[in-house]
Amino acid sequence: MTDEKTCPRCAEPVKAAAKICRFCNYDFETGTAALVLTAPAPAKKPDSSAGAIGCLGLLAIIFLISMCSGNDENKKNPAQEAAEAAEEKRKGFHCLSAWDGSHRAVVDSVKASLRDPDSFEHDETKITPVDEKGKHALSMKFRARNGFGGMNLGVAIASVDNATCGATVVAIDS
């Protein structure tokens, strides 16, 4: 006895005990092709990173086009720029640090007068507009350690020359 039989539908050899042909799903008992349901393959998710990269690329192109376009509404003419620079100089801001708003010479003078110069912390500097003599009044609040290790609040008053930004410290109250 042979342990194989031939499928009458596809002519492939299958095991003699097989009830359904593994090649064409022929049902040996009913003589018809068996209906085999298979689970559909999971749907492939769209690659969201490709879409995000495309959106970022589009935004970058729009940004570059807007930057390169001849939009002159935000550009200032030279006369307007000169007027703004003159106003900044009149207010005295050109003499102050752009980083923390302090005046370097006043900070150095205050530190030199302290018991613990390393404990100096700048708090706030205010400067008045230039007066008729070409001077600004400046007041600077600071913190520093006293002789007992506690932090004190101090004030320094100075006069600042508008042209040179040189400072003369008038008083230090720590």
Side-chain angles (χ1 to χ4, degrees), residues 24-39:
C24 68
N25 296 326
Y26 178 79
D27 188 340
F28 290 103
E29 292 178 357
T30 63
T32 60
L35 180 62
V36 178
L37 299 175
T38 58

Side-chain angles (χ1 to χ4, degrees), residues 6-112:
T6 303
C7 175
R9 185 165 183 237
C10 66
E12 291 290 333
V14 292
K15 294 197 178 199
K19 295 181 181 183
I20 296 176
C21 174
R22 65 184 175 117
F23 298 103
C24 68
N25 296 326
Y26 178 79
D27 188 340
F28 290 103
E29 292 178 357
T30 63
T32 60
L35 180 62
V36 178
L37 299 175
T38 58
K44 187 175 180 182
K45 293 182 181 177
D47 188 6
S48 61
S49 64
I53 291 172
C55 287
L56 286 176
L58 182 61
L59 287 174
I61 291 170
I62 291 170
F63 176 74
L64 289 174
I65 290 172
S66 68
M67 292 300 292
C68 295
S69 68
N71 188 356
D72 292 337
E73 71 183 43
N74 292 332
K75 294 182 182 178
K76 298 175 185 170
N77 62 34
Q80 187 179 11
E81 287 178 3
E84 288 177 4
E87 181 63 14
E88 289 294 310
K89 188 166 184 172
R90 183 190 74 77
K91 291 179 179 177
F93 296 141
H94 68 288
C95 295
L96 302 180
S97 167
W99 179 60
D100 66 354
S102 67
H103 189 284
R104 180 53 41 201
V106 176
V107 169
D108 292 342
S109 294
V110 169
K111 282 185 174 182

